[in-house]
Coordinates of all heavy atoms in Angstrom, one line a residue:
M1209 N 179.4 94.1 62.4 CA 180.5 95.1 62.2 C 180.2 96.2 63.2 O 179.1 96.7 63.3 CB 180.4 95.6 60.7 CG 181.2 96.8 60.4 SD 181.1 97.4 58.7 CE 180.1 96.3 57.8
D1210 N 181.2 96.6 63.9 CA 181.0 97.7 64.9 C 181.2 99.1 64.2 O 181.6 99.2 63.0 CB 181.9 97.6 66.1 CG 183.4 97.7 65.7 OD1 183.7 97.9 64.5 OD2 184.3 97.6 66.6
Y1211 N 180.8 100.1 64.9 CA 180.8 101.5 64.4 C 182.2 101.9 63.9 O 182.4 102.5 62.8 CB 180.3 102.5 65.4 CG 180.3 103.9 64.9 CD1 179.3 104.3 64.1 CD2 181.3 104.8 65.3 CE1 179.2 105.6 63.6 CE2 181.2 106.1 64.9 CZ 180.2 106.5 64.1 OH 180.2 107.8 63.6
R1212 N 183.2 101.6 64.6 CA 184.6 102.0 64.3 C 185.1 101.4 63.0 O 185.6 102.0 62.1 CB 185.6 101.6 65.4 CG 187.0 102.2 65.2 CD 187.9 101.9 66.3 NE 187.3 102.6 67.5 CZ 187.7 102.4 68.7 NH1 188.6 101.4 69.0 NH2 187.2 103.0 69.7
S1213 N 184.9 100.1 62.8 CA 185.3 99.4 61.6 C 184.4 99.9 60.4 O 184.9 100.0 59.3 CB 185.2 97.9 61.7 OG 183.9 97.5 61.9
Y1214 N 183.2 100.2 60.6 CA 182.3 100.7 59.6 C 182.8 102.1 59.1 O 182.9 102.4 57.9 CB 180.9 100.9 60.1 CG 179.9 101.3 59.0 CD1 179.4 100.5 58.1 CD2 179.4 102.6 59.0 CE1 178.5 100.9 57.1 CE2 178.5 103.1 58.1 CZ 178.1 102.2 57.1 OH 177.2 102.6 56.2
E1215 N 183.2 102.9 60.1 CA 183.7 104.3 59.7 C 185.1 104.1 59.0 O 185.3 104.9 58.0 CB 184.0 105.1 61.0 CG 182.7 105.6 61.6 CD 181.9 106.6 60.7 OE1 182.6 107.5 60.1 OE2 180.7 106.4 60.6
K1216 N 185.9 103.2 59.3 CA 187.2 103.0 58.6 C 186.9 102.5 57.2 O 187.6 102.9 56.3 CB 188.0 102.0 59.4 CG 188.7 102.6 60.6 CD 189.6 101.6 61.2 CE 190.2 102.2 62.5 NZ 191.3 101.4 63.0
R1217 N 185.9 101.7 57.0 CA 185.6 101.2 55.7 C 185.0 102.4 54.8 O 185.4 102.5 53.6 CB 184.5 100.1 55.7 CG 185.1 98.8 56.2 CD 184.1 97.7 56.3 NE 184.6 96.5 56.8 CZ 184.0 95.3 56.7 NH1 182.8 95.2 56.2 NH2 184.6 94.3 57.2
L1218 N 184.2 103.2 55.4 CA 183.7 104.4 54.7 C 184.9 105.3 54.3 O 184.9 105.8 53.1 CB 182.8 105.2 55.6 CG 181.4 104.6 55.8 CD1 180.6 105.5 56.8 CD2 180.6 104.4 54.5
E1219 N 185.8 105.5 55.2 CA 187.0 106.4 54.8 C 187.8 105.7 53.7 O 188.3 106.4 52.8 CB 187.9 106.6 56.1 CG 187.2 107.5 57.1 CD 188.1 107.5 58.4 OE1 189.3 107.1 58.4 OE2 187.5 107.9 59.4
Y1220 N 188.0 104.4 53.8 CA 188.7 103.7 52.8 C 188.0 103.8 51.4 O 188.7 104.0 50.4 CB 189.0 102.3 53.2 CG 189.9 101.5 52.3 CD1 191.2 101.9 52.2 CD2 189.4 100.4 51.6 CE1 192.1 101.2 51.3 CE2 190.3 99.7 50.8 CZ 191.6 100.1 50.7 OH 192.4 99.4 49.8
I1221 N 186.7 103.6 51.4 CA 186.0 103.7 50.1 C 186.1 105.1 49.5 O 186.4 105.2 48.3 CB 184.5 103.3 50.3 CG1 184.3 101.9 50.6 CG2 183.6 103.8 49.2 CD1 182.9 101.4 50.9
L1222 N 186.0 106.1 50.4 CA 186.2 107.5 49.9 C 187.6 107.7 49.3 O 187.7 108.3 48.3 CB 185.9 108.4 51.0 CG 185.6 109.9 50.7 CD1 184.5 110.0 49.7 CD2 185.3 110.7 51.9
E1223 N 188.6 107.2 50.0 CA 190.0 107.3 49.5 C 190.1 106.6 48.2 O 190.7 107.2 47.2 CB 190.9 106.7 50.5 CG 192.4 106.8 50.1 CD 193.3 106.1 51.1 OE1 192.9 105.9 52.3 OE2 194.4 105.7 50.7
L1224 N 189.6 105.4 48.0 CA 189.7 104.7 46.7 C 189.0 105.5 45.6 O 189.5 105.5 44.5 CB 189.0 103.3 46.9 CG 189.8 102.3 47.7 CD1 189.0 101.0 47.8 CD2 191.2 102.0 47.1
I1225 N 187.8 106.1 45.9 CA 187.1 106.8 44.9 C 187.9 108.1 44.5 O 188.1 108.4 43.3 CB 185.7 107.2 45.4 CG1 184.8 106.0 45.5 CG2 185.1 108.2 44.5 CD1 183.5 106.2 46.2
R1226 N 188.5 108.7 45.5 CA 189.3 109.9 45.2 C 190.5 109.6 44.3 O 191.0 110.3 43.5 CB 189.8 110.6 46.5 CG 188.8 111.4 47.2 CD 189.4 112.2 48.3 NE 188.3 113.1 48.9 CZ 188.0 113.1 50.1 NH1 188.6 112.3 51.0 NH2 187.1 113.8 50.5
K1227 N 191.1 108.4 44.5 CA 192.3 108.0 43.7 C 191.9 107.2 42.5 O 192.8 106.7 41.8 CB 193.2 107.0 44.6 CG 193.8 107.8 45.8 CD 194.6 106.8 46.6 CE 195.3 107.6 47.7 NZ 196.2 106.7 48.5
S1228 N 190.6 107.2 42.2 CA 190.1 106.5 41.0 C 190.4 105.0 41.0 O 190.7 104.4 39.9 CB 190.6 107.1 39.7 OG 190.2 108.5 39.6
R1229 N 190.4 104.4 42.1 CA 190.7 103.0 42.2 C 189.5 102.1 42.7 O 189.6 100.9 42.9 CB 191.9 102.8 43.2 CG 193.1 103.4 42.7 CD 194.3 103.3 43.6 NE 194.7 101.9 43.7 CZ 195.3 101.4 44.7 NH1 195.7 102.1 45.7 NH2 195.6 100.1 44.8
F1230 N 188.4 102.8 42.8 CA 187.1 102.1 43.2 C 186.4 101.8 41.9 O 185.8 102.6 41.3 CB 186.3 102.9 44.1 CG 185.1 102.2 44.7 CD1 185.2 101.6 46.0 CD2 183.9 102.1 44.0 CE1 184.1 101.0 46.5 CE2 182.8 101.5 44.6 CZ 182.9 100.9 45.8
R1231 N 186.4 100.5 41.5 CA 185.8 100.1 40.2 C 184.3 99.7 40.4 O 183.4 100.3 39.9 CB 186.6 99.0 39.6 CG 187.9 99.5 39.1 CD 187.7 100.4 37.9 NE 189.0 100.8 37.3 CZ 189.1 101.7 36.4 NH1 188.0 102.2 35.8 NH2 190.3 102.1 35.9
T1232 N 184.1 98.5 41.0 CA 182.8 98.0 41.1 C 182.4 97.7 42.5 O 183.3 97.5 43.4 CB 182.7 96.7 40.3 OG1 183.5 95.7 40.9 CG2 183.1 96.9 38.9
V1233 N 181.1 97.6 42.7 CA 180.6 97.3 44.1 C 181.0 95.9 44.4 O 181.3 95.6 45.6 CB 179.0 97.5 44.0 CG1 178.4 96.9 45.3 CG2 178.7 98.9 43.9
D1234 N 181.0 95.0 43.4 CA 181.3 93.6 43.7 C 182.8 93.4 44.2 O 183.1 92.6 45.0 CB 181.0 92.7 42.5 CG 179.6 92.6 42.2 OD1 178.7 92.7 43.1 OD2 179.2 92.4 41.0
D1235 N 183.7 94.2 43.5 CA 185.1 94.1 44.0 C 185.2 94.6 45.4 O 186.0 94.0 46.2 CB 186.0 95.0 43.1 CG 186.1 94.4 41.7 OD1 185.8 93.2 41.5 OD2 186.5 95.2 40.8
A1236 N 184.5 95.7 45.7 CA 184.6 96.2 47.1 C 184.0 95.2 48.1 O 184.5 95.0 49.2 CB 183.9 97.6 47.2
A1237 N 182.9 94.6 47.7 CA 182.2 93.6 48.6 C 183.2 92.4 48.8 O 183.3 92.0 50.0 CB 180.9 93.1 47.9
A1238 N 183.9 92.0 47.8 CA 184.8 90.9 48.0 C 186.0 91.3 48.9 O 186.4 90.6 49.8 CB 185.4 90.4 46.7
R1239 N 186.5 92.6 48.8 CA 187.5 93.1 49.6 C 187.1 93.2 51.1 O 187.9 92.9 52.0 CB 188.0 94.5 49.1 CG 189.1 95.1 49.8 CD 189.5 96.4 49.2 NE 190.0 96.1 47.9 CZ 190.7 97.0 47.2 NH1 190.9 98.2 47.7 NH2 191.1 96.8 46.0
F1240 N 185.9 93.6 51.3 CA 185.4 93.8 52.7 C 184.7 92.6 53.2 O 184.2 92.6 54.4 CB 184.5 95.0 52.8 CG 185.1 96.3 52.5 CD1 184.5 97.2 51.7 CD2 186.3 96.7 53.0 CE1 185.0 98.5 51.4 CE2 186.9 97.9 52.7 CZ 186.3 98.8 51.9
S1241 N 184.6 91.5 52.5 CA 183.9 90.3 52.9 C 182.4 90.6 53.3 O 182.0 90.3 54.4 CB 184.6 89.6 54.0 OG 185.9 89.2 53.6
C1242 N 181.7 91.4 52.5 CA 180.3 91.7 52.8 C 179.6 91.6 51.5 O 180.1 91.3 50.4 CB 180.2 93.1 53.4 SG 180.7 94.4 52.3
S1243 N 178.3 91.9 51.5 CA 177.5 91.9 50.3 C 177.6 93.1 49.5 O 178.0 94.2 50.0 CB 176.0 91.6 50.7 OG 175.5 92.8 51.3
G1244 N 177.2 93.0 48.2 CA 177.2 94.2 47.4 C 176.2 95.2 47.9 O 176.4 96.4 47.8
R1245 N 175.1 94.8 48.4 CA 174.1 95.7 49.0 C 174.7 96.5 50.2 O 174.4 97.7 50.3 CB 172.9 94.9 49.5 CG 171.8 95.7 50.0 CD 171.1 96.5 48.9 NE 170.3 97.6 49.5 CZ 170.5 98.9 49.2 NH1 171.3 99.3 48.3 NH2 169.7 99.7 49.8
T1246 N 175.5 95.9 51.0 CA 176.2 96.6 52.1 C 177.1 97.7 51.5 O 177.1 98.9 52.0 CB 177.0 95.7 52.9 OG1 176.1 94.7 53.5 CG2 177.7 96.4 54.1
V1247 N 177.8 97.5 50.5 CA 178.7 98.5 49.8 C 177.8 99.6 49.3 O 178.1 100.8 49.4 CB 179.6 97.8 48.8 CG1 180.4 98.9 48.1 CG2 180.5 96.8 49.4
K1248 N 176.7 99.3 48.7 CA 175.8 100.3 48.1 C 175.2 101.2 49.3 O 175.1 102.4 49.1 CB 174.6 99.7 47.4 CG 175.1 99.1 46.0 CD 173.9 98.5 45.3 CE 174.4 97.8 44.0 NZ 173.2 97.2 43.3
R1249 N 174.9 100.6 50.4 CA 174.5 101.3 51.6 C 175.6 102.3 52.0 O 175.3 103.4 52.4 CB 174.1 100.4 52.7 CG 172.6 100.0 52.6 CD 172.2 99.3 53.9 NE 171.6 98.0 53.5 CZ 172.2 96.9 53.7 NH1 173.3 96.7 54.3 NH2 171.6 95.8 53.3
M1250 N 176.8 101.8 52.0 CA 178.0 102.6 52.4 C 178.1 103.8 51.5 O 178.3 104.9 51.9 CB 179.3 101.8 52.4 CG 179.3 100.8 53.5 SD 180.9 99.9 53.3 CE 180.9 98.9 54.8
L1251 N 178.0 103.6 50.2 CA 178.0 104.7 49.2 C 176.9 105.7 49.5 O 177.2 106.9 49.4 CB 177.9 104.1 47.8 CG 179.2 103.4 47.3 CD1 178.9 102.7 45.9 CD2 180.4 104.3 47.1
N1252 N 175.7 105.2 49.7 CA 174.6 106.1 50.0 C 174.9 106.9 51.3 O 174.5 108.0 51.4 CB 173.3 105.3 50.1 CG 172.8 104.9 48.7 OD1 173.1 105.6 47.7 ND2 172.1 103.9 48.6
H1253 N 175.5 106.2 52.3 CA 175.8 106.9 53.5 C 176.8 108.0 53.3 O 176.6 109.1 53.9 CB 176.3 105.9 54.5 CG 176.4 106.4 55.9 ND1 177.0 105.7 56.9 CD2 175.9 107.5 56.5 CE1 176.9 106.4 58.1 NE2 176.2 107.5 57.8
L1254 N 177.8 107.8 52.5 CA 178.7 108.8 52.1 C 178.0 110.0 51.4 O 178.3 111.1 51.6 CB 179.9 108.3 51.3 CG 180.9 107.4 52.0 CD1 181.8 106.7 51.0 CD2 181.7 108.2 53.0
R1255 N 177.1 109.6 50.5 CA 176.3 110.7 49.8 C 175.5 111.5 50.8 O 175.4 112.7 50.6 CB 175.4 110.0 48.7 CG 176.2 109.5 47.5 CD 175.2 108.9 46.5 NE 176.0 108.3 45.4 CZ 175.9 107.1 45.0 NH1 175.1 106.2 45.6 NH2 176.6 106.7 43.9
D1256 N 174.9 110.8 51.8 CA 174.1 111.5 52.8 C 175.0 112.5 53.6 O 174.5 113.5 54.1 CB 173.4 110.5 53.7 CG 172.3 109.8 53.0 OD1 171.9 110.2 52.0 OD2 171.9 108.7 53.6
R1257 N 176.3 112.2 53.7 CA 177.2 113.1 54.4 C 177.7 114.2 53.6 O 178.5 115.1 54.0 CB 178.4 112.3 54.9 CG 178.1 111.3 56.0 CD 179.4 110.6 56.4 NE 179.1 109.7 57.5 CZ 180.1 109.1 58.2 NH1 181.3 109.3 57.8 NH2 179.8 108.3 59.2
G1258 N 177.2 114.3 52.3 CA 177.5 115.4 51.5 C 178.6 115.2 50.4 O 178.9 116.1 49.7
H1259 N 179.0 114.0 50.3 CA 180.0 113.7 49.2 C 179.2 113.4 47.9 O 178.3 112.6 47.9 CB 180.8 112.4 49.6 CG 181.6 112.6 50.8 ND1 182.8 113.4 50.8 CD2 181.5 112.2 52.1 CE1 183.3 113.4 52.1 NE2 182.5 112.7 52.8
H1260 N 179.6 114.0 46.8 CA 178.9 113.9 45.6 C 179.6 112.8 44.8 O 180.5 113.0 44.0 CB 179.0 115.2 44.8 CG 178.3 116.3 45.6 ND1 176.9 116.5 45.6 CD2 178.8 117.3 46.4 CE1 176.6 117.5 46.4 NE2 177.7 118.0 46.9
I1261 N 179.1 111.6 45.0 CA 179.7 110.4 44.3 C 178.8 110.0 43.2 O 177.6 109.9 43.3 CB 179.8 109.2 45.4 CG1 180.7 109.6 46.5 CG2 180.3 108.0 44.7 CD1 180.7 108.7 47.7
R1262 N 179.4 109.8 42.0 CA 178.7 109.4 40.8 C 179.3 108.2 40.2 O 180.5 107.9 40.5 CB 178.6 110.5 39.8 CG 178.0 111.8 40.3 CD 176.5 111.6 40.4 NE 175.8 112.9 40.8 CZ 175.4 113.1 42.0 NH1 175.6 112.2 43.0 NH2 174.8 114.2 42.4
Y1263 N 178.6 107.5 39.3 CA 179.1 106.4 38.6 C 179.1 106.7 37.1 O 178.1 107.2 36.6 CB 178.2 105.1 38.9 CG 178.8 103.9 38.2 CD1 179.9 103.3 38.6 CD2 178.1 103.4 37.0 CE1 180.4 102.1 38.0 CE2 178.6 102.3 36.4 CZ 179.7 101.6 36.9 OH 180.2 100.5 36.3
D1264 N 180.2 106.5 36.4 CA 180.3 106.7 35.0 C 180.2 105.4 34.3 O 181.1 104.5 34.5 CB 181.7 107.4 34.7 CG 181.8 107.8 33.2 OD1 181.1 107.2 32.4 OD2 182.7 108.6 32.9
R1265 N 179.1 105.2 33.5 CA 178.9 103.9 32.9 C 179.9 103.7 31.8 O 180.2 102.5 31.5 CB 177.5 103.9 32.3 CG 176.4 103.8 33.4 CD 175.1 103.7 32.8 NE 174.1 103.7 33.8 CZ 172.8 103.8 33.6 NH1 172.3 103.8 32.4 NH2 171.9 103.8 34.6
L1266 N 180.4 104.7 31.1 CA 181.4 104.5 30.0 C 182.7 104.0 30.6 O 183.3 103.1 30.0 CB 181.5 105.8 29.2 CG 180.3 106.3 28.4 CD1 180.5 107.6 27.8 CD2 179.9 105.2 27.4
Q1267 N 183.2 104.7 31.6 CA 184.5 104.3 32.2 C 184.3 103.2 33.2 O 185.3 102.6 33.7 CB 185.1 105.5 32.9 CG 185.5 106.6 31.9 CD 186.2 107.7 32.6 OE1 186.5 107.6 33.8 NE2 186.4 108.8 31.9
K1268 N 183.1 102.9 33.6 CA 182.8 101.8 34.5 C 183.5 102.0 35.9 O 184.2 101.1 36.3 CB 183.1 100.4 33.9 CG 182.2 100.1 32.7 CD 182.5 98.8 32.2 CE 181.6 98.5 31.0 NZ 181.9 97.2 30.4
K1269 N 183.4 103.2 36.4 CA 184.0 103.5 37.7 C 183.2 104.6 38.4 O 182.5 105.3 37.8 CB 185.4 103.8 37.6 CG 185.7 105.1 36.9 CD 187.2 105.4 37.0 CE 187.4 106.8 36.5 NZ 188.8 107.2 36.6
Y1270 N 183.4 104.6 39.7 CA 182.9 105.7 40.5 C 183.8 106.9 40.6 O 185.0 106.7 40.5 CB 182.6 105.2 42.0 CG 181.4 104.3 42.1 CD1 181.5 102.9 41.8 CD2 180.1 104.8 42.4 CE1 180.4 102.1 41.9 CE2 179.0 104.0 42.4 CZ 179.2 102.6 42.2 OH 178.1 101.8 42.3
F1271 N 183.3 108.1 40.7 CA 184.1 109.2 40.9 C 183.5 110.2 41.8 O 182.3 110.2 42.1 CB 184.5 109.9 39.5 CG 183.3 110.4 38.8 CD1 182.9 111.7 38.8 CD2 182.5 109.6 38.0 CE1 181.8 112.2 38.2 CE2 181.4 110.0 37.3 CZ 181.0 111.4 37.4
L1272 N 184.3 111.2 42.3 CA 183.8 112.2 43.2 C 183.8 113.5 42.6 O 184.8 113.9 41.9 CB 184.8 112.2 44.4 CG 184.4 113.0 45.7 CD1 183.1 112.4 46.3 CD2 185.5 112.9 46.7
I1273 N 182.7 114.2 42.7 CA 182.6 115.6 42.2 C 182.9 116.5 43.3 O 182.2 116.5 44.3 CB 181.2 115.8 41.6 CG1 180.8 114.9 40.5 CG2 181.0 117.3 41.2 CD1 179.4 115.0 40.0
E1274 N 184.0 117.2 43.1 CA 184.4 118.2 44.2 C 183.6 119.5 44.0 O 183.6 120.1 43.0 CB 185.9 118.5 44.0 CG 186.8 117.3 44.2 CD 186.8 116.8 45.6 OE1 186.4 117.5 46.6 OE2 187.2 115.6 45.8
K1275 N 182.8 119.8 45.0 CA 182.1 121.1 45.0 C 182.9 122.2 45.6 O 183.6 122.0 46.6 CB 180.7 120.9 45.8 CG 179.8 119.9 45.1 CD 179.2 120.5 43.9 CE 178.2 119.5 43.3 NZ 177.5 120.1 42.2
E1276 N 182.8 123.3 45.1 CA 183.5 124.5 45.6 C 182.7 125.3 46.6 O 181.5 125.3 46.7 CB 183.9 125.4 44.5 CG 184.9 124.7 43.6 CD 185.2 125.6 42.4 OE1 184.9 126.7 42.3 OE2 185.9 125.0 41.5

């Protein structure tokens, strides 16, 4: 995967999380044709960039905490 497609995937994951449409790592892995570990790395990369991404076990989905 080249840098440009990786960046587009990161943007897409962030958009899905903002719209509450990012459910599981396995679903995203199937959508991107990659491993679940790769998706977890992408989530960590977004966190390293300053996005506050959390997982809610009760609702079973990821969400974004907007910091002011």
